Amino acid sequence: GLVLTLMPGSRPAELKEHFELFLDTALAVARRLASPIDALVPLAPTTSAVPYELRLQTWIQINSTQGAAHLLRPRLVPDRAHECLAAADAGIIKSGTSTLEAGLLGCPHVVVYKTTALTAWIFRTFVRYRGPIGLVNLFLGHRDRKSCPFHEILGDEVTLPHLMQETISLLTDHPRRTSLEKQIQRLREIVQGKKSELEHPTSPSVL
């Protein structure tokens, strides 16, 4: 079976916008591909599992009559985000430091951030910035969101059909996966270079 890592965020508003949607997406992908999926939801050490457990139990109850149990095996995984990302065939990742972590660990993923309708309208109307927001794309030096190797789905673009299409592409488009592997290698080289600069700063020349 396939493995998807879902990282919906930890703030209450992020869970509300992302948690069930990410699970619905994983289930829709499993149905479309006719393949069972293990959906891993890593929890940070400082994060309480209770809100996740309550939402997951409710989601399972709602979907139990639709044969979801045979196709999707969702699991909360405390304190093992690195292992979840390294084991994943693909990821659906809320924008934040986790996108950079996913890239470094070799997980092809989509960067997601859903907001309220009002926030999305304010961003479209008043904010001029149209570049990428995912750290993984910013580290790679991209300035045009539409050309980013790790696709970003933001605001009112975040819909179940859009996420399903993107996740299926990540799982089944082999030329794209090969291209992402090259971007992941480049990302590692960039981060290693920055790390070396911090560890061994160049002394300023004295004239």
Side-chain angles (χ1 to χ4, degrees):
L2 297 168
V3 177
L4 277 180
T5 290
L6 313 178
M7 301 185 76
S10 57
R11 297 185 181 94
E14 293 170 345
L15 287 179
K16 179 181 177 182
E17 296 291 351
H18 299 138
F19 188 82
E20 289 82 2
L21 177 61
F22 285 11
L23 287 171
D24 289 343
T25 299
L27 179 57
V29 170
R31 284 178 171 146
R32 179 66 63 88
L33 298 180
S35 173
I37 288 178
D38 287 293
L40 308 179
V41 184
L43 306 181
T46 56
T47 300
S48 169
V50 174
Y52 296 83
E53 290 170 346
L54 292 174
R55 286 185 173 276
L56 181 57
Q57 289 169 7
T58 301
W59 186 89
I60 289 173
Q61 290 172 358
I62 291 172
N63 289 275
S64 61
T65 59
Q66 303 176 33
H70 300 293
L71 285 172
L72 190 68
R73 297 182 289 264
R75 184 155 53 100
L76 304 179
V77 187
D79 305 342
R80 293 169 63 188
H82 284 197
E83 293 174 50
C84 291
L85 289 167
D89 295 293
I92 306 175
I93 315 290
K94 189 269 304 180
S95 179
T97 55
S98 296
T99 66
L100 181 60
E101 185 180 16
L104 292 172
L105 289 167
C107 175
H109 63 279
V110 56
V111 179
V112 180
Y113 201 87
K114 186 178 181 181
T115 60
T116 64
L118 176 60
T119 302
W121 176 81
I122 290 172
F123 189 86
R124 283 196 313 270
T125 306
F126 298 107
V127 180
R128 294 183 179 181
Y129 181 72
R130 293 294 182 267
I133 68 168
L135 277 178
V136 64
N137 290 318
L138 290 169
F139 263 74
L140 286 167
H142 289 273
R143 295 295 175 262
D144 180 4
R145 185 159 68 89
K146 293 183 179 179
S147 66
C148 289
F150 295 89
H151 293 176
E152 300 188 0
I153 303 178
L154 311 174
D156 51 12
E157 299 172 357
V158 182
T159 64
L160 176 57
H162 199 172
L163 286 180
M164 180 182 71
Q165 179 184 13
E166 178 63 23
T167 306
I168 289 174
S169 172
L170 285 170
L171 291 169
T172 63
D173 186 337
H174 296 293
R176 183 180 175 196
R177 290 181 65 87
T178 299
S179 176
L180 283 175
E181 287 173 5
K182 294 177 181 177
Q183 294 293 326
I184 287 167
Q185 182 57 39
R186 181 166 162 260
L187 176 70
R188 289 168 175 162
E189 292 169 358
I190 290 170
V191 171
Q192 184 59 45
K194 291 186 181 297
K195 182 181 177 183
S196 297
E197 289 175 9
L198 291 172
E199 292 176 346
H200 309 287
T202 303
S203 300
S205 59
V206 179
L207 299 178

